[in-house]
Amino acid sequence: MVDHDPYDIPLDKFDISQQALWAQDKKMEYFRRLRDEAPVHFCAESEFGPYWSLTRYADILEVDKNWKDFSSEPAITIVDPEEDFPLPMFIAMDPPKHDEQRKTVQGAVAPINLKTLENTIRQRTQNVLNDLPDGEDFDWVDRVSIELTTQMLATLFDFPFEDRRKLTRWSDVATGGPETGVVETDEQRQEELLECLEYFSRLWQERAEKDGSNDFISMLAQGEATKDMSPEEYLGNLILLIVGGNDTTRNSMTSGVIALNDNPGEYAKLRNNPTLIPNMVSEIIRWQTPLAHMRRIANRDYKLSGKTIKQGDKVIMWYLSGNRDERSIDRPDEFLIDRKQARQHLAFGFGPHRCMGNRLAELQLRILWEEIQKRFHFIEVRGAPELVPSNFVHGFVSLPVRLHPL
Amino acid sequence: MPTIIYIEHDGTEHQIEAEVGATLMQTALDNGVPGIDADCGGECSCATCHVMVKEDWTSTVGEPNDSEEEMLDLNPERLSNSRLSCQIAITEELDGLVVELPEFQF
């Protein structure tokens, strides 16, 4: 499919989940045709079994908020869970259990707590930017995006700081597999995730008794709804929180640099008017949509835009496509840092599963760009980014850049 | 036209002549009242148009509906008089209504 013009392939042969489309960045034209001609599209055969694709903003919103008719269980990505290695996590549970577990940890990233985190985030951002090499090419993903998001996670978990890159590794392993090249075999993936569980179990033991801490581990270990969780459920929820804070903002941090290089007029607007940064942050998140999809299972037959989704069918909401839907977003294929209503995008999802860390993500990105603009006239992209070959994590492995200080 | 009073977290007051039938959320946006994000555009699915209804108005305005309650319930900063302003339609009865805005939206 990847070597063809999307308009030469019959719609019933469309399988937008194919990895090659994502690895080679060919998916957007396929999405455009689906939005125009088959917005509620059934793919009968794929590596992940049969599934429906929703590609328009309004259809995605309708399904996302309707948790009674569309279940998040047993998983929220197109890949079905491994039967011998289940990882229950609250994002893949329906209310009321979802709500009970989520509420246990939500407080750590509630806006009121972010106020106290802001200084720490700013200081770390300053340190990371001040340490970057001058006058030579380096990898923005490794030196800035991964470093900043991993430091943030280490703080939220109160995780041993010197071991923080383990969090990055576990995040990559959790969302990847042999097919994305992050591990050689499924067995290796399971082994590494069990190492993760072992490491975190030690931290759990230490913190179960210590009152008054508000890191994620203490909250889970002491919360009424979570303190008796099984090890699998503990690991599942840890992975949820690690991936949620890692694979997402990391890629928005990289995407902003690329988008501004591709749109020099927007870069000029930013230099002339740094007060646009909060609005630009929302536009970057829409533009990148770091998680390309979420999946649901229909709890009953459901009619949507003229098609009938059958009870039990797998439904993929392609946030990435909905965020480029001209029916809901004005000039969606343009990156506009002063876009009106920039906050109205699908990247955080809607309904009870809406991203728990959305305000933290925005805060991290806002501080990053405020500190960048105090130091650098131009972050120059020096080569093509390497893409993560995944239809779920929409992001970058590396991005060569060079700095041009003020 | 009913008058609605929005009070920002820092105490700044906005007296707005509201149109009957519009929502409390849209009225704030149309009149430049800051502090309401309304990310989902009025679909009761993001909880970023959170307001607190002044105590003597709560019975007139009424309780949150079911889907509103589900969204409000996830916000650790919700109070007993919290509502989502996209779920409140302006009526003549609400003339003089006072709502307070939270320091942060969810």
Side-chain angles (χ1 to χ4, degrees), chain A residues 180-385:
Chain A
T180 62
V182 69
V183 287
E184 311 238 317
T185 61
D186 283 327
E187 290 70 37
Q188 187 197 344
R189 179 170 178 273
Q190 294 189 8
E191 266 169 41
E192 291 202 35
L193 292 178
L194 287 172
E195 265 172 48
C196 169
L197 176 61
E198 219 170 278
Y199 196 111
F200 273 101
S201 296
R202 284 201 302 275
L203 299 178
W204 173 290
Q205 299 300 338
E206 286 166 26
R207 299 196 192 159
E209 307 297 324
K210 226 168 68 186
D211 278 348
S213 302
N214 61 352
D215 62 273
F216 281 143
I217 303 169
S218 300
M219 286 169 142
L220 287 171
Q222 295 174 21
E224 271 311 309
T226 48
K227 66 182 166 73
D228 298 321
M229 275 188 304
S230 68
E232 296 80 40
E233 204 165 342
Y234 180 41
L235 179 60
N237 279 317
L238 286 170
I239 284 169
L240 166 62
L241 296 168
I242 295 172
V243 172
N246 202 353
D247 271 323
T248 51
T249 304
R250 177 206 300 186
N251 292 313
S252 301
M253 285 179 168
T254 307
S255 170
V257 174
I258 300 171
L260 287 168
N261 270 259
D262 290 344
N263 298 275
E266 299 303 301
Y267 212 149
K269 275 190 209 164
L270 170 65
R271 289 188 195 105
N272 292 334
N273 187 3
T275 64
L276 288 172
I277 288 174
N279 203 73
M280 177 179 83
V281 162
S282 291
E283 177 68 346
I284 289 172
I285 294 168
R286 175 191 77 90
W287 187 249
Q288 182 57 27
T289 313
L291 295 182
H293 76 261
M294 285 283 159
R295 151 261 195 65
R296 299 289 185 261
I297 299 288
N299 279 336
R300 64 169 178 89
D301 291 1
Y302 191 95
K303 215 161 178 183
L304 186 66
S305 293
K307 302 275 179 170
T308 301
I309 295 169
K310 291 278 183 204
Q311 181 177 358
D313 283 357
K314 189 193 286 196
V315 180
I316 306 299
M317 305 178 287
W318 294 104
Y319 291 158
L320 178 64
S321 171
N323 274 341
R324 299 294 178 98
D325 181 3
E326 57 273 30
R327 292 154 198 84
S328 298
I329 295 174
D330 184 37
R331 296 191 283 165
D333 289 323
E334 292 176 48
F335 175 77
L336 301 168
I337 70 169
D338 51 359
R339 174 179 291 285
K340 300 256 183 314
Q341 289 158 348
R343 299 192 58 84
Q344 289 190 14
H345 62 71
L346 292 168
F348 292 131
F350 285 119
H353 292 282
R354 181 170 165 84
C355 175
M356 184 179 93
N358 65 339
R359 297 288 168 175
L360 176 61
E362 289 171 354
L363 178 65
Q364 288 174 275
L365 286 160
R366 171 168 68 75
I367 292 175
L368 174 63
W369 281 100
E370 284 169 358
E371 295 300 323
I372 286 174
Q373 288 311 103
K374 286 180 201 161
R375 287 167 177 73
F376 309 116
H377 174 72
F378 182 31
I379 302 170
E380 183 191 0
V381 172
R382 299 279 289 169

Side-chain angles (χ1 to χ4, degrees), chain A residues 53-70:
Chain A
S53 281
L54 312 185
T55 45
R56 286 187 186 171
Y57 190 105
D59 290 335
I60 293 170
L61 175 59
E62 179 175 335
V63 167
D64 211 2
K65 69 179 190 180
N66 185 353
W67 60 268
K68 289 188 175 120
D69 290 329
F70 293 94

